[in-house]
Amino acid sequence: MTQYVRWRQCLLLVVMMLWALPLRAEETTETVGPAPGERLQFNLSWMGIPGGRAEMRYTKPEADTYSIETTLDSIGAVRFMYLVEDRLEANGMVTPQGLLSRTYLKLQNEGSRNRRTDYFFNRDLQQVLITINNGHPKRFDEMGPDVNDPITAWYALRFHNDVRPGAILNMPILDGTKRYVADVFIGEQERMATPLGFFDVLPVRPQLEHSDLFRHQGNLVVYVTNDARRMPVRVEAKVKVGSVVADLVSYDDGKGGHQEIQLEKR
């Protein structure tokens, strides 16, 4: 069963990284970042073996609010041996300073384990209340005015304007009950072949600590398109045994652009 638990950890790691790190389009006047209605779908594999699927949706219920919904499911033999049906949801405010978390929900259905974790960000008091399975909330103080849940943190970076090859950005993040600032390194542009064709991408390398959610054992790279969409097309994560890869296989960018793998008809 240990290998299937490791699969669950790998899937969670990759799906969290898919919340697209930033990437600024060169010489463009188009608004950068995800557009409301954006939907991304990924296939996940471990050492070439299919193991999971992830889907992410970004919406704006109102002009000054956002909602990010994510689902993660194991597939094939992995699902037969170890069921994973997880859902993550982040909601918050759209401000001149960027996205700021208000609530963050983790619903984890993994094997025989079912767990609900709720986060509430009190911005005025710089506190976070964390409740597990509707129990008594625990309070964490001195969180800082700009700390975000993991999903919001990644989406906030997609809207960042000061991004270029060689740049280093900072990402304040609350992971589990631990707050820290992750450094994010932007690499040089590359031409990459993906299941959806070729894209000009920038490799983005976040330096994340070991914690509740991020459990990679080595290098972690997110490849994002070098255009205003800042869309992730691949994630490569080194783990204790081998590596996990997530490939974008379908998207609707919320701006009229969409694409998906075309299966050969027989």
Side-chain angles (χ1 to χ4, degrees), residues 13-120:
L13 163 67
V14 172
V15 77
M16 291 308 304
M17 296 312 305
L18 289 171
W19 305 148
L21 294 173
L23 171 244
R24 181 175 61 188
E26 298 181 357
E27 302 299 327
T28 180
T29 58
E30 187 177 359
T31 302
V32 297
E38 180 190 77
R39 177 187 56 80
L40 308 174
Q41 292 183 322
F42 295 84
N43 283 350
L44 288 72
S45 61
W46 172 64
M47 299 183 70
I49 303 172
R53 292 189 182 128
E55 178 170 314
M56 307 126 224
R57 294 178 180 267
Y58 173 76
T59 60
K60 291 182 66 177
E62 299 178 8
D64 60 350
T65 67
Y66 71 88
S67 179
I68 305 167
E69 296 183 7
T70 305
T71 57
L72 172 65
D73 299 283
S74 55
I75 62 173
V78 173
R79 185 178 182 84
F80 177 76
M81 298 299 297
Y82 192 78
L83 174 70
V84 175
E85 291 181 342
D86 287 353
R87 178 186 171 193
L88 310 173
E89 183 175 327
N91 295 278
M93 304 172 293
V94 180
T95 74
Q97 293 75 37
L99 305 183
L100 291 177
S101 306
R102 290 300 301 273
T103 63
Y104 176 49
L105 169 66
K106 294 193 299 184
L107 293 175
Q108 296 167 286
N109 180 18
E110 301 161 7
S112 59
R113 179 192 185 201
N114 291 279
R115 179 169 177 167
R116 175 188 178 114
T117 309
D118 290 274
Y119 294 72
F120 174 73

Side-chain angles (χ1 to χ4, degrees), residues 118-137:
D118 290 274
Y119 294 72
F120 174 73
F121 292 74
N122 188 324
R123 293 291 171 182
D124 294 334
L125 300 179
Q126 297 186 24
Q127 297 174 342
V128 178
L129 298 178
I130 302 178
T131 305
I132 298 177
N133 291 334
N134 297 315
H136 189 273

